Amino acid sequence: MVTRRRTSRKKRSSSRPIGPLGNLGGPPARKTGGWVALVLGALVVINLYVFVWDKQTSVGAIKREADRATPTAMLPSRPLAEAGNPTPGTPGAAPAAPAIAPAPVGPPGIIDGKVGKSDTLGRVLKKSGLTAAEADEVIRALSGVFDFKTMRAGQTYRIERGADGRVKSFELVVSKVQTVRAERGATGALAGKADTSQTRIEIKAIGGRIESSLYAAIKASGENAALVDFFVDVFAYDLDFYNDTHDGDTFRVVVEKQLRDGDSTGPGGPGGPGGPGAGHEFIRYRRILAAEYAGKAGTFRTFWFGDGYFDDKGKSSEKTLLKTPLKFQRVSSGFDRARMHPVLHTVRAHLGIDYAAPTGTPVWAAAGGVITHRGDAGGAGNLVMIKHDGGIETAYLHLSKFADGVKVGQHVAAKTVIGYVGATGLATGPHLHFGVKQNGELIDPTKLVPVRSRTVPGKDLDAFHTEVGKLSAQLAAIPIPKPAT
């Protein structure tokens, strides 16, 4: 029993709490705490004496000494500019002290720049060195005259700082016909305003002969290169302008040109897109009213009526599929059921057409439809598939990337950009593999019988034929240059 009690006392002794500095029990810790409290109390008393009670070192004494050392600033009874120029003859007039201008926020001068991709107005102003307050002032000035959602990459801007360093003006060229400004007025505040130029529409008739390319022929006629894309677009269902054009082919077009009145000439100079006689700046081509292309591939005409293009019989120029799903440089591989695969080196069916084109070339939907696949597909690389009416399905393989916003289940119109040419999957170089299925079976896209989408309604046929008769006469009257010798 005695032995057991000794063991018990040992256990109780060993159960004492261990302090943070070692094997220290409760009582020593309480003694240490008392000494700490005593030292802290002494420090508080010393600080009170030095900073509060002592007449030489207290905070109040130091403040009084500083006031005696600094003379009180005298405020002038009139503005500094007036005080510096006393009335002549005033006795005892002191020499004028130079007025101190406000410190400039930035150096005087002009900053020119361009809006970058995904830039906002606030980001543009910040990159140009404006403070948050300055940027806010510009934004508030323009809030009533400018739709900030219309800001686009490539738009130019100018910021001018005055001699006082403040923002004197901000100017953004929204388009060729609209400029917005924020200018500092007499009140000292920035005020926003929008300038919209007066424009007019001119009907222009143009004709030419292909010597090397459609692009060169249209440029030779003195027109802007934008007309080339427009002309190709209206015949996209009938002609492949990279393969169907030949030397000696001819074209005629009647087009609306939007011009801005002014003193500048158009990009092509006198007789160019600015129009004969200059004085009008070319803005854009609005609509092609009538167009004709004649050559080895046949003769094709299209006319604008209502809300679309039709042939001279009133049938829509739009068909089942575009002639090509992109602008390409050459056809690298055709439809072949026994082609030697360039990567696998085995004979495999090539059930589609390969269009060689630089990486990044836009790929268009060949017809309107619903996207059924968008993603990686192994050897096919990045793949988009679209389901169209009439049991037609199209496939676009080896894309470098997909267009923004393209997703499964989305309906897209013909000529909508769905992706960009690449070399993903089993590919030896950048190209688009274009495949077409009809009723579930892969077919040669060039053998698909085109179907026109609509015709002019019967009630409008008389008006249509009258309009086409006038436009056809205008086309026929356009002279074509003689072949080059």
Side-chain angles (χ1 to χ4, degrees):
M1 292 297 291
V2 175
T3 304
R4 239 184 257 115
R5 279 198 296 272
R6 275 202 294 267
T7 303
S8 177
R9 279 196 297 273
K10 285 181 182 179
K11 285 182 180 179
R12 284 196 297 272
S13 175
S14 64
S15 66
R16 288 179 178 176
I18 305 298
L21 300 178
N23 190 15
L24 300 178
R30 284 194 294 272
K31 288 182 181 180
T32 303
W35 279 106
V36 169
L38 184 60
V39 171
L40 289 175
L43 289 174
V44 170
V45 172
I46 292 171
N47 278 278
L48 287 172
Y49 176 77
V50 172
F51 295 107
V52 179
W53 299 327
D54 189 271
K55 294 183 179 180
Q56 294 182 345
T57 61
S58 66
V59 174
I62 294 173
K63 185 176 180 182
R64 286 191 295 273
E65 186 66 24
D67 290 341
R68 284 196 298 272
T70 306
T72 305
M74 298 298 292
L75 295 176
S77 58
R78 58 182 182 272
L80 289 176
E82 183 183 342
N85 297 283
T87 305
T90 304
I100 302 174
V105 177
I110 294 175
I111 302 169
D112 289 318
K114 277 189 177 182
V115 177
K117 186 178 180 181
S118 74
D119 268 352
T120 61
L121 180 56
R123 190 174 301 165
V124 163
L125 297 174
K126 182 179 179 181
K127 289 194 299 186
S128 300
L130 273 66
T131 64
E134 290 178 317
D136 180 66
E137 186 182 16
V138 172
I139 291 171
R140 282 189 288 108
L142 293 176
S143 61
V145 298
F146 176 51
D147 182 0
F148 300 112
K149 290 185 287 188
T150 62
M151 199 163 188
R152 298 287 184 270
Q155 293 171 338
T156 59
Y157 64 88
R158 168 171 286 193
I159 301 170
E160 182 179 357
R161 286 188 182 276
D164 60 357
R166 293 195 303 168
V167 174
K168 183 178 179 181
S169 66
F170 171 80
E171 176 182 289
L172 175 70
V173 180
V174 181
S175 67
K176 288 185 177 182
V177 297
Q178 185 184 31
T179 299
V180 294
R181 293 183 179 87
E183 296 180 327
R184 197 169 298 282
T187 62
L190 287 177
K193 64 177 182 178
D195 293 334
T196 302
S197 302
Q198 294 296 320
T199 63
R200 65 185 182 85
I201 303 301
E202 178 182 278
I203 307 298
K204 188 73 180 289
I206 306 136
R209 185 181 299 274
I210 308 297
E211 300 293 347
S212 59
S213 68
L214 177 67
Y215 176 88
I218 287 180
K219 288 291 289 181
S221 72
E223 291 302 315
N224 190 284
L227 183 58
V228 180
D229 293 334
F230 204 173
F231 191 87
V232 168
D233 189 65
V234 298
F235 286 115
Y237 291 92
D238 294 305
L239 290 164
D240 165 13
F241 282 94
Y242 290 88
N243 291 287
D244 292 341
T245 56
H246 303 276
D247 290 352
D249 292 358
T250 62
F251 70 90
R252 292 179 170 93
V253 59
V254 178
V255 63
E256 293 177 335
K257 295 174 66 172
Q258 186 177 13
L259 307 173
R260 180 173 65 182
D261 293 335
D263 298 327
S264 59
T265 62
H280 305 290
E281 182 183 359
F282 170 75
I283 302 300
R284 66 184 176 117
Y285 295 102
R286 287 189 69 216
R287 290 180 302 183
I288 286 180
L289 301 179
E292 174 190 279
Y293 189 89
K296 291 184 178 180
T299 299
F300 303 89
R301 294 187 185 90
T302 189
F303 303 90
W304 175 265
F305 183 78
D307 60 352
Y309 288 99
F310 300 86
D311 65 12
D312 52 7
K313 293 181 177 58
K315 295 181 180 179
S316 175
S317 295
E318 296 183 5
K319 300 178 183 177
T320 310
L321 295 178
L322 296 174
K323 192 69 181 289
T324 57
L326 82 168
K327 295 181 179 179
F328 62 95
Q329 294 175 324
R330 60 188 173 86
V331 176
S332 54
S333 295
F335 188 91
D336 187 351
R337 294 191 180 276
R339 182 193 68 149
M340 178 64 71
H341 195 281
V343 176
L344 301 177
H345 301 293
T346 58
V347 175
R348 281 193 172 190
H350 188 253
L351 306 180
I353 297 178
D354 284 352
Y355 298 106
T359 298
T361 300
V363 175
W364 289 277
V370 177
I371 295 176
T372 57
H373 181 91
R374 175 197 178 277
D376 179 69
N382 290 328
L383 167 68
V384 170
M385 296 191 71
I386 303 177
K387 187 176 182 179
H388 313 278
D389 293 337
I392 302 296
E393 192 171 12
T394 55
Y396 311 81
L397 285 65
H398 307 301
L399 302 174
S400 61
K401 61 179 181 178
F402 305 105
D404 293 338
V406 172
K407 57 186 179 181
V408 173
Q410 176 186 0
H411 186 277
V412 293
K415 303 177 187 175
T416 300
V417 175
I418 56 173
Y420 302 88
V421 169
T424 56
L426 295 176
T428 56
H431 71 284
L432 170 72
H433 176 94
F434 178 60
V436 177
K437 280 185 177 182
Q438 187 173 35
N439 298 323
E441 183 180 353
L442 284 165
I443 63 170
D444 184 348
T446 64
K447 302 295 174 61
L448 181 66
V449 178
V451 177
R452 296 185 184 270
S453 61
R454 57 176 178 155
T455 59
V456 174
K459 62 183 180 62
D460 298 325
L461 278 176
D462 288 343
F464 171 77
H465 289 307
T466 300
E467 182 67 16
V468 167
K470 294 177 182 177
L471 292 172
S472 295
Q474 286 182 262
L475 286 176
I478 298 173
I480 299 295
K482 293 181 179 180
T485 56

